[in-house]
Each structure stands twice: as C-alpha cells, then as structure tokens.
Amino acid sequence: AQSVAQPEDQVNVAEGNPLTVKCTYSVSGNPYLFWYVQYPNRGLQFLLKYITGDNLVKGSYGFEAEFNKSQTSFHLKKPSALVSDSALYFCAVRERATGGGNKLTFGTGTQLKVEL
Amino acid sequence: GAVVSQHPSRVICKSGTSVKIECRSLDFQATTMFWYRQFPKQSLMLMATSNEGSKATYEQGVEKDKFLINHASLTLSTLTVTSAHPEDSSFYICSARDWGGNTEAFFGQGTRLTVV
C-alpha cells in the first residue's frame, strides 16, 4: 500500500523568506510524486511532479521540490514566499509500476500562511 | 495543461432529492476519471474510479447505490447523489488523466453540495 505523510498541518512564513513544506512517502516500487495547491472552494491545481531524472524539480509559480530517495521525501520549496502563496498544499504519490494502479494517494495537506 | 471542467460549482438541494454533478475533460480524452470527497480541512478521499463504457469501481465503504456514476463518453463522467441527506453535504472533486502522455491528474473546480 502507498501512503503520504505531511507532518505539518500549518506552516507560517514571512513574505520574502524561503518556505519549505514537508512530505514523505511510502510505496513498494518506484514513485511518481506530485504537489498540488488548493485555494478555498476550488479544485486542485497541479504545481510540479517528479517522474525520473534530476532530483530537483521546478514547477509553477517559482516552486520547486527535491526528491530524496534515501529519505523517501519530496519537500516543496520556494526561495521567496509571497502572500498570494497562502493556500492548502497537497503532496501525492502514485506507484510507477505497470499495473500498480492509477490511484493517487494524498497527504493530509499543509496550510501555508504567508504574512507581511 | 489539460483542462477539467466541473459543474455546478455550488448547489443547494432539499433532503430526499437527487443531485447530478458533471465532470468534463475539455481538451483531451479521459478513459478514466476519479471522484473524490473532501471534508473541511481534510484531505481528499477517493470515492470511485469511473471507467468509460463500464461500471465504476467504488472504494470500500462508499455506497454505489447512493453515489451513481456514469461515464458514457470519453469526455464526460457524472456523479449523482441520490436521496441526498444533510450528511452528504461536502465538497466533491473530480479528476482525470490525459492518457496521451501526461502522468499527472487534472482536477475540476469542485462542487460544494449543501443538503438542507
């Protein structure tokens, strides 16, 4: 079974400071990893993904994430936070193997609050 | 990225009535769509996987007679909440993958259902 853990319910950061939203995962095989962002009463917007290749993945709105296989982590980062980044962030995993299923497993979400 | 449109975005219905939610892939064909339910400040719970031209696959604990899913074409899946009750009030989100090559799923805008 696959699972995702987001250990922080909420992350607070001052505008202009770097931000990190943590995610660790568990799958039996190789993972596809994703980050999504959700604004109030909206669906999820895709931010970035790790499939294979470079461990540092760059995505939308200046976000990036680093895949660390030994630590089974995929933390989301941004060098300089904006107030408009305040939202709910979800990490998700899907097993890469053929027949491993198409289901995404989501973490519980981390509320990011960026303050002036 | 690919676009998934969900309608309506918000609906209020009386207890005992049925409500239909539509999920359309606008610029790609989706043989598989997914229906999620999200409770306040919680993660997404997969309800069912909708397969074009065949029966949906429901997750454990989800009543198939309560949540009817129809995936009659490659671009449209519908979720009907039958004989709705106040406890069915929730945020429902659909997603689809573009099997043409993208590995990430794209999400609809979500539907806020309130049963009074």
Side-chain angles (χ1 to χ4, degrees), chain A residues 1 18-19 32 43 53 55 59 63 69 93 101 104 110 115:
Chain A
L19 69 87
Y32 287 144
N55 290 340
F63 284 94
K69 189 173 183 177
V93 67
L104 273 178
T110 298
E115 299 169 310

Side-chain angles (χ1 to χ4, degrees), chain A residues 6-61:
Chain A
Q6 292 181 243
E8 304 154 315
D9 290 338
Q10 181 160 321
V11 169
N12 297 320
V13 64
E15 187 174 54
N17 283 0
L19 69 87
T20 298
V21 182
K22 296 179 181 178
C23 170
T24 58
Y25 67 91
S26 175
V27 292
S28 55
N30 291 313
Y32 287 144
L33 292 157
F34 307 87
W35 274 102
Y36 289 87
V37 60
Q38 185 181 33
Y39 294 95
N41 292 310
R42 303 288 294 176
L44 275 65
Q45 295 179 30
F46 170 74
L47 276 181
L48 52 79
K49 64 183 177 183
Y50 171 79
I51 303 301
T52 187
D54 289 342
N55 290 340
L56 184 63
V57 178
K58 294 188 182 297
S60 306
Y61 312 118

Side-chain angles (χ1 to χ4, degrees), chain A residues 13-16 39 80-87 112-116:
Chain A
V13 64
E15 187 174 54
Y39 294 95
S80 179
L82 298 173
V83 172
S84 57
D85 293 329
S86 298
L112 173 66
K113 188 174 182 181
V114 182
E115 299 169 310
L116 290 171

Side-chain angles (χ1 to χ4, degrees), chain A residues 36 38 41 43 49 94 107, chain B residues 38 43 103-105 109 112:
Chain A
Y36 289 87
Q38 185 181 33
N41 292 310
K49 64 183 177 183
R94 180 165 63 86
Chain B
Q38 185 180 28
S43 188
T103 50
E104 64 270 29
Q109 304 95 316
R112 172 71 61 192

